[in-house]
Amino acid sequence: MNKSLKNVLIVVAIILLITVPIISSYNGMISSEQNVKKAESNIDTNLQRRSDLIPNVVETVKGYAKQEKDIFTDIADARSKLGGQNMNIKDKANADSELSNALSRLLVVVERYPDLKSNENFRALMVELEGTENRIAVARKNYNDAVDQYNTKTKKFPGSIIASIFRFGEKDYYKASEGAKEVPKVDFNTGK
């Protein structure tokens, strides 16, 4: 075999040994980043589903509990915050927590109206809402799993080098706001 051809083959082999892992690592990070985006979108879809169900629940409860205006206002405010555009994952988590707290207060009100709890339409809405809450919990977990996989890839060698070269930054986990860890206080003796 010609010595120059042998040298060319050695150079090509070295280039392949260097570029193939780089390309593979880069493509793996792209896939992980897309999984994070897809998981975030799934959270958004489920939050929207819950947001769409809430007006029906609120209208049903309003017929029974006209004096509970503060709760209805809080729910409407929280829904509008959650529907805002260009929110990062932390803002979504905070708005989601606010809405969850308002819904918890609404459910406390429902306990005071046995006729409402036995209303077939209300029960069907509550089953849908419960299913949606479960979907949201699964979507949050899936998002955090995708973020964990992505962040791990960007921190392990040689992925950390590829991540810094191609500017793959760390993704934030979906965390509940500090207020979500506390049970909402509901006081019906305010005289309103």
Side-chain angles (χ1 to χ4, degrees):
M1 185 180 266
N2 186 337
K3 191 169 181 142
S4 64
L5 180 60
K6 190 176 180 181
N7 288 339
V8 168
L9 289 176
I10 290 172
V11 168
V12 168
I14 291 172
I15 290 172
L16 285 175
L17 284 173
I18 293 171
T19 58
V20 167
I22 290 172
I23 292 170
S24 176
S25 184
Y26 177 83
N27 287 339
M29 284 185 203
I30 291 292
S31 294
S32 290
E33 187 174 48
Q34 291 306 308
N35 285 338
V36 169
K37 289 178 181 178
K38 180 175 113 181
E40 184 176 357
S41 178
N42 288 341
I43 290 173
D44 290 344
T45 300
N46 286 304
L47 291 176
Q48 184 62 51
R49 176 179 162 75
R50 179 176 63 178
S51 189
D52 292 345
L53 280 171
I54 289 171
N56 295 326
V57 173
V58 167
E59 287 303 314
T60 304
V61 173
K62 272 185 182 178
Y64 287 85
K66 291 181 170 84
Q67 68 274 16
E68 310 294 348
K69 292 178 184 164
D70 290 345
I71 292 171
F72 303 136
T73 303
D74 291 347
I75 288 173
D77 291 345
R79 279 186 69 231
S80 68
K81 284 181 187 174
L82 196 56
Q85 298 296 320
N86 301 323
M87 295 174 68
N88 63 32
I89 199 73
K90 185 177 179 179
D91 293 339
K92 287 178 191 174
N94 289 337
D96 175 34
S97 174
E98 213 174 292
L99 184 56
S100 294
N101 287 337
L103 279 175
S104 294
R105 289 178 45 221
L106 179 68
L107 296 179
V108 169
V109 168
V110 168
E111 291 298 317
R112 295 176 46 195
Y113 299 93
D115 291 345
L116 173 61
K117 289 192 320 187
S118 66
N119 179 291
E120 190 175 316
N121 188 27
F122 178 76
R123 285 195 331 240
L125 287 169
M126 292 312 294
V127 167
E128 279 196 57
L129 190 59
E130 182 179 343
T132 300
E133 292 296 331
N134 290 334
R135 286 186 193 113
I136 291 169
V138 169
R140 288 176 188 145
K141 181 198 175 302
N142 291 343
Y143 173 81
N144 283 340
D145 289 346
V147 167
D148 184 55
Q149 180 187 21
Y150 170 83
N151 286 344
T152 300
K153 277 187 179 184
T154 62
K155 290 180 182 190
K156 281 185 171 180
F157 183 80
S160 60
I161 295 170
I162 304 303
S164 66
I165 291 171
F166 293 104
R167 298 180 187 198
F168 286 98
E170 185 173 0
K171 302 288 184 192
D172 291 330
Y173 288 95
Y174 194 101
K175 296 178 186 173
S177 67
E178 289 302 315
K181 295 176 185 174
E182 299 172 18
V183 177
K185 182 180 179 184
V186 180
D187 182 10
F188 294 112
N189 299 318
T190 59
K192 289 183 182 178

